[in-house]
């Protein structure tokens, strides 16, 4: 049996910060295998966001650590995320959606005090219409946010909370403590 591998202190503290944060009840987190070729040390979480019992968004957050540092990262730690959610067709077709999606990320980092640098990424909106044997709902829309940033310290709890805020925004969840009003049921005229 091989002796346990000692993890760098910075990486161990960063992983502990990610593990210590508790997201809101609608966001289910799970530790998953991390990519092994991107950095000497890696850790990953996946998330599923539930609204009224339905999966409405998913995401992955990957922590990379290279003790030697990485010039493009401007540091030794890097967080990488991928978030995707179904959207109502009219929202998915809105040309302003990519800018709004990016703001969901940057505002979440700012609000949670997740200090960072070297942030970059993409926001993709897609529309799909099914035909033939795949015919189904008339149209569907999605948003996909891919981003990475370098945390300024190894306390990553604020970064996890920011990521959960991004997931909630993408999924259309109301802010914590706010209850969404039910859609009024309309009775057809008699």
């Amino acid at each position: 049996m091989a002796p346990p591998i000692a993890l760098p202190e910075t990486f161990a503290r960063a992983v502990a910060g990610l593990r210590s944060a508790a997201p809101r009840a609608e966001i289910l987190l799970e530790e998953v295998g991390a990519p092994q070729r991107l950095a000497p040390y890696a850790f990953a979480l996946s998330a599923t966001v539930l609204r009224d019992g339905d999966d409405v968004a998913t995401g992955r957050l990957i922590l990379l650590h290279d003790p030697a540092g990485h010039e493009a990262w401007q540091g030794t730690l890097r967080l990488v995320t991928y978030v995707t959610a179904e959207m109502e067709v009219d929202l998915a077709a809105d040309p302003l959606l990519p800018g709004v999606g990016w703001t969901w990320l940057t505002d979440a980092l700012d609000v949670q005090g997740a200090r960072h640098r070297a942030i970059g990424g993409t926001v993709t909106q897609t529309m799909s219409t099914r035909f033939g044997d795949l015919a189904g709902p008339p149209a569907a829309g999605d948003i996909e946010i891919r981003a990475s940033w370098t945390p300024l310290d190894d306390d990553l709890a604020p970064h996890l909370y920011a990521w959960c805020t991004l997931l909630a925004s993408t999924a259309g969840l109301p802010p914590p403590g706010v209850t969404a009003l039910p859609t009024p049921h309309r009775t057809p005229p008699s």
Side-chain angles (χ1 to χ4, degrees), residues 111-136:
V111 166
Q112 295 298 333
R115 296 177 338 114
H116 62 280
R117 68 173 153 238
I119 189 169
T122 62
V123 178
T124 306
Q125 63 194 102
T126 59
M127 296 288 297
S128 301
T129 304
R130 301 168 194 232
F131 297 96
D133 289 345
L134 294 177

mmCIF file with all atom_site columns, all heavy atoms in Angstrom, residues 111-136:
data_model
loop_
_atom_site.group_PDB
_atom_site.id
_atom_site.type_symbol
_atom_site.label_atom_id
_atom_site.label_alt_id
_atom_site.label_comp_id
_atom_site.label_asym_id
_atom_site.label_entity_id
_atom_site.label_seq_id
_atom_site.pdbx_PDB_ins_code
_atom_site.Cartn_x
_atom_site.Cartn_y
_atom_site.Cartn_z
_atom_site.occupancy
_atom_site.B_iso_or_equiv
_atom_site.pdbx_formal_charge
_atom_site.auth_seq_id
_atom_site.auth_comp_id
_atom_site.auth_asym_id
_atom_site.auth_atom_id
_atom_site.pdbx_PDB_model_num
ATOM 1   N N   . VAL A 1 111 ? -20.555 40.481 -5.057  1.00 0.00 ? 111 VAL A N   1
ATOM 2   C CA  . VAL A 1 111 ? -21.464 40.461 -3.904  1.00 0.00 ? 111 VAL A CA  1
ATOM 3   C C   . VAL A 1 111 ? -20.944 39.525 -2.805  1.00 0.00 ? 111 VAL A C   1
ATOM 4   O O   . VAL A 1 111 ? -21.067 39.832 -1.618  1.00 0.00 ? 111 VAL A O   1
ATOM 5   C CB  . VAL A 1 111 ? -22.891 40.060 -4.346  1.00 0.00 ? 111 VAL A CB  1
ATOM 6   C CG1 . VAL A 1 111 ? -23.762 39.688 -3.164  1.00 0.00 ? 111 VAL A CG1 1
ATOM 7   C CG2 . VAL A 1 111 ? -23.529 41.178 -5.148  1.00 0.00 ? 111 VAL A CG2 1
ATOM 8   N N   . GLN A 1 112 ? -20.344 38.413 -3.196  1.00 0.00 ? 112 GLN A N   1
ATOM 9   C CA  . GLN A 1 112 ? -19.865 37.445 -2.207  1.00 0.00 ? 112 GLN A CA  1
ATOM 10  C C   . GLN A 1 112 ? -18.463 37.777 -1.699  1.00 0.00 ? 112 GLN A C   1
ATOM 11  O O   . GLN A 1 112 ? -17.926 37.060 -0.858  1.00 0.00 ? 112 GLN A O   1
ATOM 12  C CB  . GLN A 1 112 ? -19.870 36.032 -2.805  1.00 0.00 ? 112 GLN A CB  1
ATOM 13  C CG  . GLN A 1 112 ? -21.258 35.519 -3.143  1.00 0.00 ? 112 GLN A CG  1
ATOM 14  C CD  . GLN A 1 112 ? -22.163 35.394 -1.929  1.00 0.00 ? 112 GLN A CD  1
ATOM 15  O OE1 . GLN A 1 112 ? -21.711 35.198 -0.801  1.00 0.00 ? 112 GLN A OE1 1
ATOM 16  N NE2 . GLN A 1 112 ? -23.457 35.503 -2.151  1.00 0.00 ? 112 GLN A NE2 1
ATOM 17  N N   . GLY A 1 113 ? -17.868 38.849 -2.206  1.00 0.00 ? 113 GLY A N   1
ATOM 18  C CA  . GLY A 1 113 ? -16.528 39.220 -1.764  1.00 0.00 ? 113 GLY A CA  1
ATOM 19  C C   . GLY A 1 113 ? -15.468 38.232 -2.214  1.00 0.00 ? 113 GLY A C   1
ATOM 20  O O   . GLY A 1 113 ? -14.449 38.060 -1.547  1.00 0.00 ? 113 GLY A O   1
ATOM 21  N N   . ALA A 1 114 ? -15.703 37.586 -3.353  1.00 0.00 ? 114 ALA A N   1
ATOM 22  C CA  . ALA A 1 114 ? -14.761 36.609 -3.907  1.00 0.00 ? 114 ALA A CA  1
ATOM 23  C C   . ALA A 1 114 ? -13.731 37.353 -4.754  1.00 0.00 ? 114 ALA A C   1
ATOM 24  O O   . ALA A 1 114 ? -13.897 37.515 -5.961  1.00 0.00 ? 114 ALA A O   1
ATOM 25  C CB  . ALA A 1 114 ? -15.517 35.565 -4.724  1.00 0.00 ? 114 ALA A CB  1
ATOM 26  N N   . ARG A 1 115 ? -12.682 37.808 -4.091  1.00 0.00 ? 115 ARG A N   1
ATOM 27  C CA  . ARG A 1 115 ? -11.674 38.615 -4.778  1.00 0.00 ? 115 ARG A CA  1
ATOM 28  C C   . ARG A 1 115 ? -10.951 37.765 -5.816  1.00 0.00 ? 115 ARG A C   1
ATOM 29  O O   . ARG A 1 115 ? -10.590 36.617 -5.545  1.00 0.00 ? 115 ARG A O   1
ATOM 30  C CB  . ARG A 1 115 ? -10.707 39.205 -3.765  1.00 0.00 ? 115 ARG A CB  1
ATOM 31  C CG  . ARG A 1 115 ? -11.415 40.168 -2.807  1.00 0.00 ? 115 ARG A CG  1
ATOM 32  C CD  . ARG A 1 115 ? -10.530 40.761 -1.713  1.00 0.00 ? 115 ARG A CD  1
ATOM 33  N NE  . ARG A 1 115 ? -9.336  40.026 -1.380  1.00 0.00 ? 115 ARG A NE  1
ATOM 34  C CZ  . ARG A 1 115 ? -8.081  40.472 -1.605  1.00 0.00 ? 115 ARG A CZ  1
ATOM 35  N NH1 . ARG A 1 115 ? -7.876  41.643 -2.143  1.00 0.00 ? 115 ARG A NH1 1
ATOM 36  N NH2 . ARG A 1 115 ? -7.039  39.750 -1.248  1.00 0.00 ? 115 ARG A NH2 1
ATOM 37  N N   . HIS A 1 116 ? -10.732 38.353 -7.005  1.00 0.00 ? 116 HIS A N   1
ATOM 38  C CA  . HIS A 1 116 ? -10.184 37.583 -8.120  1.00 0.00 ? 116 HIS A CA  1
ATOM 39  C C   . HIS A 1 116 ? -9.473  38.492 -9.123  1.00 0.00 ? 116 HIS A C   1
ATOM 40  O O   . HIS A 1 116 ? -9.583  39.711 -9.049  1.00 0.00 ? 116 HIS A O   1
ATOM 41  C CB  . HIS A 1 116 ? -11.317 36.842 -8.826  1.00 0.00 ? 116 HIS A CB  1
ATOM 42  C CG  . HIS A 1 116 ? -12.328 37.765 -9.422  1.00 0.00 ? 116 HIS A CG  1
ATOM 43  N ND1 . HIS A 1 116 ? -13.321 38.355 -8.666  1.00 0.00 ? 116 HIS A ND1 1
ATOM 44  C CD2 . HIS A 1 116 ? -12.475 38.263 -10.674 1.00 0.00 ? 116 HIS A CD2 1
ATOM 45  C CE1 . HIS A 1 116 ? -14.045 39.144 -9.444  1.00 0.00 ? 116 HIS A CE1 1
ATOM 46  N NE2 . HIS A 1 116 ? -13.546 39.118 -10.665 1.00 0.00 ? 116 HIS A NE2 1
ATOM 47  N N   . ARG A 1 117 ? -8.787  37.870 -10.073 1.00 0.00 ? 117 ARG A N   1
ATOM 48  C CA  . ARG A 1 117 ? -8.185  38.571 -11.210 1.00 0.00 ? 117 ARG A CA  1
ATOM 49  C C   . ARG A 1 117 ? -8.157  37.607 -12.388 1.00 0.00 ? 117 ARG A C   1
ATOM 50  O O   . ARG A 1 117 ? -8.485  36.429 -12.241 1.00 0.00 ? 117 ARG A O   1
ATOM 51  C CB  . ARG A 1 117 ? -6.792  39.075 -10.863 1.00 0.00 ? 117 ARG A CB  1
ATOM 52  C CG  . ARG A 1 117 ? -5.781  37.976 -10.662 1.00 0.00 ? 117 ARG A CG  1
ATOM 53  C CD  . ARG A 1 117 ? -4.369  38.551 -10.477 1.00 0.00 ? 117 ARG A CD  1
ATOM 54  N NE  . ARG A 1 117 ? -3.579  37.620 -9.687  1.00 0.00 ? 117 ARG A NE  1
ATOM 55  C CZ  . ARG A 1 117 ? -2.994  37.898 -8.545  1.00 0.00 ? 117 ARG A CZ  1
ATOM 56  N NH1 . ARG A 1 117 ? -3.099  39.103 -8.025  1.00 0.00 ? 117 ARG A NH1 1
ATOM 57  N NH2 . ARG A 1 117 ? -2.299  36.999 -7.907  1.00 0.00 ? 117 ARG A NH2 1
ATOM 58  N N   . ALA A 1 118 ? -7.764  38.107 -13.529 1.00 0.00 ? 118 ALA A N   1
ATOM 59  C CA  . ALA A 1 118 ? -7.589  37.302 -14.747 1.00 0.00 ? 118 ALA A CA  1
ATOM 60  C C   . ALA A 1 118 ? -8.850  36.510 -15.091 1.00 0.00 ? 118 ALA A C   1
ATOM 61  O O   . ALA A 1 118 ? -8.784  35.335 -15.419 1.00 0.00 ? 118 ALA A O   1
ATOM 62  C CB  . ALA A 1 118 ? -6.367  36.391 -14.614 1.00 0.00 ? 118 ALA A CB  1
ATOM 63  N N   . ILE A 1 119 ? -9.999  37.171 -15.033 1.00 0.00 ? 119 ILE A N   1
ATOM 64  C CA  . ILE A 1 119 ? -11.261 36.501 -15.341 1.00 0.00 ? 119 ILE A CA  1
ATOM 65  C C   . ILE A 1 119 ? -11.500 36.538 -16.855 1.00 0.00 ? 119 ILE A C   1
ATOM 66  O O   . ILE A 1 119 ? -11.182 37.521 -17.520 1.00 0.00 ? 119 ILE A O   1
ATOM 67  C CB  . ILE A 1 119 ? -12.443 37.141 -14.575 1.00 0.00 ? 119 ILE A CB  1
ATOM 68  C CG1 . ILE A 1 119 ? -13.716 36.299 -14.734 1.00 0.00 ? 119 ILE A CG1 1
ATOM 69  C CG2 . ILE A 1 119 ? -12.652 38.583 -14.983 1.00 0.00 ? 119 ILE A CG2 1
ATOM 70  C CD1 . ILE A 1 119 ? -14.839 36.732 -13.797 1.00 0.00 ? 119 ILE A CD1 1
ATOM 71  N N   . GLY A 1 120 ? -12.024 35.456 -17.374 1.00 0.00 ? 120 GLY A N   1
ATOM 72  C CA  . GLY A 1 120 ? -12.365 35.394 -18.796 1.00 0.00 ? 120 GLY A CA  1
ATOM 73  C C   . GLY A 1 120 ? -13.370 34.287 -19.034 1.00 0.00 ? 120 GLY A C   1
ATOM 74  O O   . GLY A 1 120 ? -13.518 33.385 -18.203 1.00 0.00 ? 120 GLY A O   1
ATOM 75  N N   . GLY A 1 121 ? -14.067 34.354 -20.148 1.00 0.00 ? 121 GLY A N   1
ATOM 76  C CA  . GLY A 1 121 ? -15.012 33.296 -20.438 1.00 0.00 ? 121 GLY A CA  1
ATOM 77  C C   . GLY A 1 121 ? -15.912 33.615 -21.598 1.00 0.00 ? 121 GLY A C   1
ATOM 78  O O   . GLY A 1 121 ? -15.725 34.615 -22.306 1.00 0.00 ? 121 GLY A O   1
ATOM 79  N N   . THR A 1 122 ? -16.898 32.757 -21.792 1.00 0.00 ? 122 THR A N   1
ATOM 80  C CA  . THR A 1 122 ? -17.874 32.911 -22.866 1.00 0.00 ? 122 THR A CA  1
ATOM 81  C C   . THR A 1 122 ? -19.272 32.639 -22.337 1.00 0.00 ? 122 THR A C   1
ATOM 82  O O   . THR A 1 122 ? -19.453 31.880 -21.377 1.00 0.00 ? 122 THR A O   1
ATOM 83  C CB  . THR A 1 122 ? -17.613 31.925 -24.024 1.00 0.00 ? 122 THR A CB  1
ATOM 84  O OG1 . THR A 1 122 ? -17.741 30.581 -23.535 1.00 0.00 ? 122 THR A OG1 1
ATOM 85  C CG2 . THR A 1 122 ? -16.234 32.111 -24.629 1.00 0.00 ? 122 THR A CG2 1
ATOM 86  N N   . VAL A 1 123 ? -20.236 33.268 -22.983 1.00 0.00 ? 123 VAL A N   1
ATOM 87  C CA  . VAL A 1 123 ? -21.644 32.984 -22.717 1.00 0.00 ? 123 VAL A CA  1
ATOM 88  C C   . VAL A 1 123 ? -22.254 32.640 -24.068 1.00 0.00 ? 123 VAL A C   1
ATOM 89  O O   . VAL A 1 123 ? -22.142 33.407 -25.024 1.00 0.00 ? 123 VAL A O   1
ATOM 90  C CB  . VAL A 1 123 ? -22.375 34.186 -22.085 1.00 0.00 ? 123 VAL A CB  1
ATOM 91  C CG1 . VAL A 1 123 ? -23.851 33.865 -21.879 1.00 0.00 ? 123 VAL A CG1 1
ATOM 92  C CG2 . VAL A 1 123 ? -21.721 34.579 -20.764 1.00 0.00 ? 123 VAL A CG2 1
ATOM 93  N N   . THR A 1 124 ? -22.887 31.479 -24.146 1.00 0.00 ? 124 THR A N   1
ATOM 94  C CA  . THR A 1 124 ? -23.475 31.004 -25.391 1.00 0.00 ? 124 THR A CA  1
ATOM 95  C C   . THR A 1 124 ? -24.968 30.813 -25.197 1.00 0.00 ? 124 THR A C   1
ATOM 96  O O   . THR A 1 124 ? -25.392 30.216 -24.206 1.00 0.00 ? 124 THR A O   1
ATOM 97  C CB  . THR A 1 124 ? -22.833 29.664 -25.814 1.00 0.00 ? 124 THR A CB  1
ATOM 98  O OG1 . THR A 1 124 ? -21.421 29.832 -25.872 1.00 0.00 ? 124 THR A OG1 1
ATOM 99  C CG2 . THR A 1 124 ? -23.365 29.203 -27.147 1.00 0.00 ? 124 THR A CG2 1
ATOM 100 N N   . GLN A 1 125 ? -25.742 31.314 -26.133 1.00 0.00 ? 125 GLN A N   1
ATOM 101 C CA  . GLN A 1 125 ? -27.175 31.076 -26.104 1.00 0.00 ? 125 GLN A CA  1
ATOM 102 C C   . GLN A 1 125 ? -27.508 30.247 -27.339 1.00 0.00 ? 125 GLN A C   1
ATOM 103 O O   . GLN A 1 125 ? -26.953 30.458 -28.412 1.00 0.00 ? 125 GLN A O   1
ATOM 104 C CB  . GLN A 1 125 ? -27.950 32.394 -26.085 1.00 0.00 ? 125 GLN A CB  1
ATOM 105 C CG  . GLN A 1 125 ? -27.761 33.262 -27.311 1.00 0.00 ? 125 GLN A CG  1
ATOM 106 C CD  . GLN A 1 125 ? -28.260 34.672 -27.116 1.00 0.00 ? 125 GLN A CD  1
ATOM 107 O OE1 . GLN A 1 125 ? -27.456 35.554 -26.896 1.00 0.00 ? 125 GLN A OE1 1
ATOM 108 N NE2 . GLN A 1 125 ? -29.544 34.886 -27.177 1.00 0.00 ? 125 GLN A NE2 1
ATOM 109 N N   . THR A 1 126 ? -28.388 29.263 -27.152 1.00 0.00 ? 126 THR A N   1
ATOM 110 C CA  . THR A 1 126 ? -28.773 28.402 -28.264 1.00 0.00 ? 126 THR A CA  1
ATOM 111 C C   . THR A 1 126 ? -30.283 28.255 -28.307 1.00 0.00 ? 126 THR A C   1
ATOM 112 O O   . THR A 1 126 ? -30.961 28.310 -27.285 1.00 0.00 ? 126 THR A O   1
ATOM 113 C CB  . THR A 1 126 ? -28.147 26.997 -28.162 1.00 0.00 ? 126 THR A CB  1
ATOM 114 O OG1 . THR A 1 126 ? -28.566 26.391 -26.938 1.00 0.00 ? 126 THR A OG1 1
ATOM 115 C CG2 . THR A 1 126 ? -26.636 27.052 -28.198 1.00 0.00 ? 126 THR A CG2 1
ATOM 116 N N   . MET A 1 127 ? -30.760 28.071 -29.511 1.00 0.00 ? 127 MET A N   1
ATOM 117 C CA  . MET A 1 127 ? -32.184 27.783 -29.750 1.00 0.00 ? 127 MET A CA  1
ATOM 118 C C   . MET A 1 127 ? -32.245 26.478 -30.525 1.00 0.00 ? 127 MET A C   1
ATOM 119 O O   . MET A 1 127 ? -31.477 26.279 -31.469 1.00 0.00 ? 127 MET A O   1
ATOM 120 C CB  . MET A 1 127 ? -32.822 28.898 -30.583 1.00 0.00 ? 127 MET A CB  1
ATOM 121 C CG  . MET A 1 127 ? -32.841 30.251 -29.899 1.00 0.00 ? 127 MET A CG  1
ATOM 122 S SD  . MET A 1 127 ? -34.012 30.323 -28.548 1.00 0.00 ? 127 MET A SD  1
ATOM 123 C CE  . MET A 1 127 ? -35.532 30.057 -29.419 1.00 0.00 ? 127 MET A CE  1
ATOM 124 N N   . SER A 1 128 ? -33.155 25.611 -30.162 1.00 0.00 ? 128 SER A N   1
ATOM 125 C CA  . SER A 1 128 ? -33.309 24.328 -30.847 1.00 0.00 ? 128 SER A CA  1
ATOM 126 C C   . SER A 1 128 ? -34.768 24.111 -31.208 1.00 0.00 ? 128 SER A C   1
ATOM 127 O O   . SER A 1 128 ? -35.670 24.379 -30.401 1.00 0.00 ? 128 SER A O   1
ATOM 128 C CB  . SER A 1 128 ? -32.865 23.175 -29.943 1.00 0.00 ? 128 SER A CB  1
ATOM 129 O OG  . SER A 1 128 ? -31.525 23.333 -29.566 1.00 0.00 ? 128 SER A OG  1
ATOM 130 N N   . THR A 1 129 ? -34.988 23.619 -32.417 1.00 0.00 ? 129 THR A N   1
ATOM 131 C CA  . THR A 1 129 ? -36.312 23.223 -32.863 1.00 0.00 ? 129 THR A CA  1
ATOM 132 C C   . THR A 1 129 ? -36.213 21.779 -33.333 1.00 0.00 ? 129 THR A C   1
ATOM 133 O O   . THR A 1 129 ? -35.306 21.433 -34.092 1.00 0.00 ? 129 THR A O   1
ATOM 134 C CB  . THR A 1 129 ? -36.793 24.130 -34.015 1.00 0.00 ? 129 THR A CB  1
ATOM 135 O OG1 . THR A 1 129 ? -36.740 25.482 -33.558 1.00 0.00 ? 129 THR A OG1 1
ATOM 136 C CG2 . THR A 1 129 ? -38.223 23.783 -34.419 1.00 0.00 ? 129 THR A CG2 1
ATOM 137 N N   . ARG A 1 130 ? -37.134 20.945 -32.907 1.00 0.00 ? 130 ARG A N   1
ATOM 138 C CA  . ARG A 1 130 ? -37.092 19.513 -33.228 1.00 0.00 ? 130 ARG A CA  1
ATOM 139 C C   . ARG A 1 130 ? -37.990 19.209 -34.424 1.00 0.00 ? 130 ARG A C   1
ATOM 140 O O   . ARG A 1 130 ? -39.061 19.802 -34.556 1.00 0.00 ? 130 ARG A O   1
ATOM 141 C CB  . ARG A 1 130 ? -37.538 18.702 -32.021 1.00 0.00 ? 130 ARG A CB  1
ATOM 142 C CG  . ARG A 1 130 ? -36.662 18.956 -30.822 1.00 0.00 ? 130 ARG A CG  1
ATOM 143 C CD  . ARG A 1 130 ? -37.299 18.374 -29.582 1.00 0.00 ? 130 ARG A CD  1
ATOM 144 N NE  . ARG A 1 130 ? -36.626 18.913 -28.424 1.00 0.00 ? 130 ARG A NE  1
ATOM 145 C CZ  . ARG A 1 130 ? -36.137 18.173 -27.447 1.00 0.00 ? 130 ARG A CZ  1
ATOM 146 N NH1 . ARG A 1 130 ? -36.263 16.885 -27.478 1.00 0.00 ? 130 ARG A NH1 1
ATOM 147 N NH2 . ARG A 1 130 ? -35.529 18.744 -26.443 1.00 0.00 ? 130 ARG A NH2 1
ATOM 148 N N   . PHE A 1 131 ? -37.533 18.267 -35.235 1.00 0.00 ? 131 PHE A N   1
ATOM 149 C CA  . PHE A 1 131 ? -38.276 17.883 -36.434 1.00 0.00 ? 131 PHE A CA  1
ATOM 150 C C   . PHE A 1 131 ? -38.325 16.374 -36.568 1.00 0.00 ? 131 PHE A C   1
ATOM 151 O O   . PHE A 1 131 ? -37.523 15.652 -35.983 1.00 0.00 ? 131 PHE A O   1
ATOM 152 C CB  . PHE A 1 131 ? -37.597 18.473 -37.686 1.00 0.00 ? 131 PHE A CB  1
ATOM 153 C CG  . PHE A 1 131 ? -37.586 19.969 -37.715 1.00 0.00 ? 131 PHE A CG  1
ATOM 154 C CD1 . PHE A 1 131 ? -36.479 20.677 -37.272 1.00 0.00 ? 131 PHE A CD1 1
ATOM 155 C CD2 . PHE A 1 131 ? -38.684 20.680 -38.176 1.00 0.00 ? 131 PHE A CD2 1
ATOM 156 C CE1 . PHE A 1 131 ? -36.462 22.064 -37.293 1.00 0.00 ? 131 PHE A CE1 1
ATOM 157 C CE2 . PHE A 1 131 ? -38.680 22.066 -38.194 1.00 0.00 ? 131 PHE A CE2 1
ATOM 158 C CZ  . PHE A 1 131 ? -37.563 22.753 -37.768 1.00 0.00 ? 131 PHE A CZ  1
ATOM 159 N N   . GLY A 1 132 ? -39.252 15.907 -37.397 1.00 0.00 ? 132 GLY A N   1
ATOM 160 C CA  . GLY A 1 132 ? -39.347 14.488 -37.735 1.00 0.00 ? 132 GLY A CA  1
ATOM 161 C C   . GLY A 1 132 ? -39.551 13.613 -36.525 1.00 0.00 ? 132 GLY A C   1
ATOM 162 O O   . GLY A 1 132 ? -40.361 13.916 -35.647 1.00 0.00 ? 132 GLY A O   1
ATOM 163 N N   . ASP A 1 133 ? -38.766 12.529 -36.458 1.00 0.00 ? 133 ASP A N   1
ATOM 164 C CA  . ASP A 1 133 ? -38.890 11.572 -35.360 1.00 0.00 ? 133 ASP A CA  1
ATOM 165 C C   . ASP A 1 133 ? -38.514 12.171 -34.010 1.00 0.00 ? 133 ASP A C   1
ATOM 166 O O   . ASP A 1 133 ? -38.841 11.603 -32.976 1.00 0.00 ? 133 ASP A O   1
ATOM 167 C CB  . ASP A 1 133 ? -38.017 10.341 -35.631 1.00 0.00 ? 133 ASP A CB  1
ATOM 168 C CG  . ASP A 1 133 ? -38.555 9.471  -36.757 1.00 0.00 ? 133 ASP A CG  1
ATOM 169 O OD1 . ASP A 1 133 ? -39.735 9.656  -37.139 1.00 0.00 ? 133 ASP A OD1 1
ATOM 170 O OD2 . ASP A 1 133 ? -37.788 8.630  -37.252 1.00 0.00 ? 133 ASP A OD2 1
ATOM 171 N N   . LEU A 1 134 ? -37.814 13.288 -34.015 1.00 0.00 ? 134 LEU A N   1
ATOM 172 C CA  . LEU A 1 134 ? -37.444 13.955 -32.764 1.00 0.00 ? 134 LEU A CA  1
ATOM 173 C C   . LEU A 1 134 ? -38.406 15.072 -32.396 1.00 0.00 ? 134 LEU A C   1
ATOM 174 O O   . LEU A 1 134 ? -38.145 15.853 -31.486 1.00 0.00 ? 134 LEU A O   1
ATOM 175 C CB  . LEU A 1 134 ? -36.030 14.531 -32.865 1.00 0.00 ? 134 LEU A CB  1
ATOM 176 C CG  . LEU A 1 134 ? -34.910 13.518 -32.997 1.00 0.00 ? 134 LEU A CG  1
ATOM 177 C CD1 . LEU A 1 134 ? -33.578 14.240 -33.152 1.00 0.00 ? 134 LEU A CD1 1
ATOM 178 C CD2 . LEU A 1 134 ? -34.863 12.583 -31.810 1.00 0.00 ? 134 LEU A CD2 1
ATOM 179 N N   . ALA A 1 135 ? -39.518 15.157 -33.127 1.00 0.00 ? 135 ALA A N   1
ATOM 180 C CA  . ALA A 1 135 ? -40.486 16.226 -32.865 1.00 0.00 ? 135 ALA A CA  1
ATOM 181 C C   . ALA A 1 135 ? -40.916 16.171 -31.399 1.00 0.00 ? 135 ALA A C   1
ATOM 182 O O   . ALA A 1 135 ? -41.078 15.110 -30.820 1.00 0.00 ? 135 ALA A O   1
ATOM 183 C CB  . ALA A 1 135 ? -41.688 16.101 -33.784 1.00 0.00 ? 135 ALA A CB  1
ATOM 184 N N   . GLY A 1 136 ? -41.059 17.310 -30.837 1.00 0.00 ? 136 GLY A N   1
ATOM 185 C CA  . GLY A 1 136 ? -41.429 17.412 -29.428 1.00 0.00 ? 136 GLY A CA  1
ATOM 186 C C   . GLY A 1 136 ? -41.910 18.810 -29.179 1.00 0.00 ? 136 GLY A C   1
ATOM 187 O O   . GLY A 1 136 ? -42.608 19.395 -30.000 1.00 0.00 ? 136 GLY A O   1
#
